[in-house]
């Protein structure tokens, strides 16, 4: 069967397309810039997936009404991963985008555009739509150890952006955009459930790490999450003790891609938002994982950091109740050691 993947050239989406193809699906990938199709086409052609299995189309403006209409007519599933993830969300004029603009454009890319496209008549065969949300839509990073589940919503980021407008911190704007986008997707489904033949499933990943297979011109052009990881492992700029002690949660990019596909396949995933995380971590633990590799497999200037951080009890602030993931998807998540080894190997192949 055929599946549409939006933003097919992205970090997460490239793995999603790859696993789909390997599992026998035909894929239609959308990119916003025609010039970005070449790398994707060549990457998969080299792996034996030609035009008969992978079609790439450009949707230059994904906020335009009906932008996806002609591309969803013959697909059975839609994986919507496209969304900006930048810590420096800027308008061309250099101004931070306002909440209003986020609602009108970025955060509503999915609900107002892809969903209507999939109404009967537009996408008569679509059975399931899977949207990439984020744990950013579930919570604001806590200051005390807290456990969260799919029942939690990040209410404070949208509120803060509402109050401060473009003066809100860029990451708060990002988290607000993810929370609002996911909310309006569920709202759309609620309002149109009698008309549509498909159901919605949402994946909420935390920070995504792991080997990139998308087109990256240089280490400085890495996507936001991987750039943070790279900077930490190269010690550029050097991290303070407090920074290396900071806790957050993570997941491997390959597991996140698989989660989207399992959410497409498993009947029980319909109508569910699912947190897909490997677990909590401290930045120092990533340095420890890298320093535990044989010398030849380590990055050249790998810092030691502050190993004493890992002595005694560790405090993880955000913790997830992952029982829904285990029950519905049951992914065997990559460990820090595996992700670290594979990612460094990938970087070394690029000469970094
Ligand atoms: P990438 O930046 O690698 O990929 C994002 C994709 O979305 C690219 O194809 C990009 O196109 C496209 N895109 C971005 N903005 C727009 C826009 N305004 N209109 C059309 N297309 C757009 O990021 P990731 O792979 O990391 O992110 C994929 C998804 O995962 C996003 O929804 C993100 O919010 C979510 N996510 C990511 C996490 C992470 O740690 N990386 C954590 C949790 C969620 P182009 O190449 O042309 O810019």
């Amino acid at each position: 069967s055929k599946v549409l993947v939006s933003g097919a050239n992205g970090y997460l989406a490239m793995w999603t397309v790859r696993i789909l193809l390997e599992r026998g699906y035909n894929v239609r990938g959308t990119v916003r810039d025609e010039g970005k199709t070449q790398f994707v086409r060549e990457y998969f052609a080299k792996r034996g997936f030609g035009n008969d299995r992978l079609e790439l189309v450009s949707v230059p403006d994904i906020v335009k009404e009906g932008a996806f209409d002609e591309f969803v007519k013959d697909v059975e599933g839609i994986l919507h991963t496209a969304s900006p993830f930048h810590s420096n969300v800027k308008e061309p004029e250099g101004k931070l985008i306002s909440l209003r603009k986020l609602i009108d454009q970025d955060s509503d890319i999915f609900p107002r555009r892809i969903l209507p496209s999939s109404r009967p008549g537009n996408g008569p065969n679509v059975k399931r739509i899977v949207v990439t949300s984020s744990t950013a839509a579930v919570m604001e990073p806590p200051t005390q150890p807290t456990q969260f589940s799919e029942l939690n919503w990040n209410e404070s980021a949208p509120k803060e952006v509402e109050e401060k407008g473009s003066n809100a911190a860029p990451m708060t704007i990002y988290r607000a955009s993810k929370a609002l986008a996911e909310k309006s997707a569920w709202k759309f489904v609620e309002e149109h459930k009698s008309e549509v033949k498909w159901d919605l499933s949402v994946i909420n990943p935390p920070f995504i790490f792991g080997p990139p297979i998308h087109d990256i011109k240089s280490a400085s052009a890495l996507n936001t999450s991987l750039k943070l990881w790279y900077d930490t492992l190269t010690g550029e700029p050097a991290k303070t003790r407090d920074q290396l002690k900071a806790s957050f949660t993570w997941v491997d990019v390959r597991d996140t891609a698989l989660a989207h596909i399992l959410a497409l396949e498993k009947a029980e995933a319909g109508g569910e938002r699912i947190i897909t995380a490997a677990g909590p971590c401290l930045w120092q633990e990533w340095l420890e994982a890298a320093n535990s590799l044989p010398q030849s497999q380590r990055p050249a200037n790998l810092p030691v950091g502050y190993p004493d951080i890992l002595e005694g009890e560790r405090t993880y602030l955000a913790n997830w109740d992952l029982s829904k993931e285990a029950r519905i998807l049951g992914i065997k998540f990559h460990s820090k050691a595996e992700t670290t080894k594979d990612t460094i190997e990938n970087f070394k192949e690029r000469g970094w």
Side-chain angles (χ1 to χ4, degrees):
S1 71
K2 190 180 273 187
V3 175
L4 180 128
V5 178
S6 71
N9 62 309
Y11 174 42
L12 169 63
M14 280 289 285
W15 273 108
T16 308
V17 170
R18 177 164 154 176
I19 299 173
L20 280 168
L21 291 168
E22 287 169 355
R23 281 166 95 96
Y25 291 92
N26 290 329
V27 177
R28 176 174 295 133
T30 74
V31 295
R32 60 172 159 174
D33 177 352
E34 179 71 42
K36 291 185 176 167
T37 58
Q38 193 189 346
F39 175 89
V40 184
R41 189 171 284 116
E42 284 172 8
Y43 176 89
F44 287 108
K46 264 189 236 150
R47 276 156 191 82
F49 301 114
N51 293 342
D52 54 326
R53 299 288 311 283
L54 171 66
E55 182 196 350
L56 292 163
V57 296
S58 78
V59 178
D61 182 7
I62 69 176
V63 267
K64 205 173 123 211
E65 187 80 54
F68 286 91
D69 282 2
E70 64 171 303
F71 302 125
V72 295
K73 288 208 165 84
D74 56 346
V75 303
E76 285 175 31
I78 296 176
L79 303 185
H80 182 58
T81 75
S83 146
F85 177 20
H86 307 301
S87 39
N88 57 342
V89 190
K90 298 236 168 96
E91 279 188 303
E93 311 90 77
K95 268 171 43 205
L96 275 167
I97 48 179
S98 66
L99 178 64
R100 180 102 308 268
K101 193 140 188 184
L102 273 174
I103 295 172
D104 288 346
Q105 297 193 350
D106 298 307
S107 80
D108 246 16
I109 281 167
F110 174 72
R112 287 205 205 133
R113 304 304 178 220
I114 280 202
L115 290 189
S117 298
S118 307
R119 281 188 219 171
N122 280 332
N125 303 321
V126 176
K127 296 187 182 67
R128 169 80 40 93
I129 300 184
V130 183
V131 173
T132 316
S133 183
S134 168
T135 52
V138 179
M139 53 120 218
E140 275 295 284
T143 50
Q144 293 297 318
T146 315
Q147 195 182 49
F148 298 94
S149 77
E150 287 85 358
L151 296 174
N152 296 102
W153 277 93
N154 186 342
E155 309 281 1
S156 66
K159 196 162 160 278
E160 193 177 328
V161 177
E162 191 88 61
E163 284 161 7
K164 296 187 182 161
S166 57
N167 291 324
M171 277 312 283
T172 307
I173 295 180
Y174 170 72
R175 287 195 285 266
S177 81
K178 292 306 276 187
L180 293 169
E182 193 194 324
K183 267 219 167 123
S184 46
W186 288 117
K187 189 163 163 254
F188 183 94
V189 173
E190 185 55 35
E191 286 169 0
H192 296 87
K193 61 179 179 228
S194 59
E195 308 153 39
V196 297
K197 288 193 193 142
W198 46 263
D199 58 11
L200 178 68
S201 178
V202 170
I203 298 296
N204 299 77
F207 260 121
I208 304 175
F209 301 140
I213 56 172
H214 62 301
D215 188 16
I216 313 166
K217 303 279 183 258
S218 68
S220 60
L222 276 169
N223 59 301
T224 307
S225 56
L226 214 43
K227 179 81 170 62
L228 282 171
W229 196 88
Y230 178 83
D231 290 350
T232 304
L233 269 79
T234 52
E236 286 290 337
K239 296 280 175 295
T240 64
R241 197 170 185 287
D242 279 352
Q243 284 172 325
L244 294 176
K245 238 178 112 174
S247 96
F248 57 100
T249 63
W250 77 284
V251 66
D252 189 283
V253 65
R254 296 160 290 188
D255 298 333
T256 315
L258 179 62
H260 284 73
I261 297 157
L262 293 176
L264 186 71
E265 294 173 348
K266 305 254 183 190
E268 316 85 280
E272 301 286 350
R273 66 196 304 234
I274 307 175
I275 296 168
T276 54
C281 59
L282 310 177
W283 280 114
Q284 180 65 37
E285 293 173 0
W286 293 98
L287 290 182
E288 182 193 47
N291 278 295
S292 303
L293 291 168
Q295 181 74 47
S296 62
Q297 292 175 21
R298 295 181 210 162
N301 298 315
L302 177 65
V304 178
Y306 298 88
D308 64 288
I309 288 173
L310 305 183
E311 287 162 17
E313 214 179 310
R314 302 179 194 179
T315 309
Y316 300 114
L317 297 178
N319 295 279
W320 305 112
D321 172 352
L322 297 173
S323 53
K324 198 197 270 192
E325 187 288 324
R327 176 167 48 84
I328 299 179
L329 306 181
I331 293 167
K332 190 183 170 302
F333 289 99
H334 283 82
S335 67
K336 276 185 213 96
E338 290 163 341
T339 300
T340 302
K341 178 177 171 293
D342 295 348
T343 310
I344 295 174
E345 193 177 296
N346 177 298
F347 288 172
K348 279 182 178 284
E349 281 163 13
R350 297 167 188 269
W352 296 351

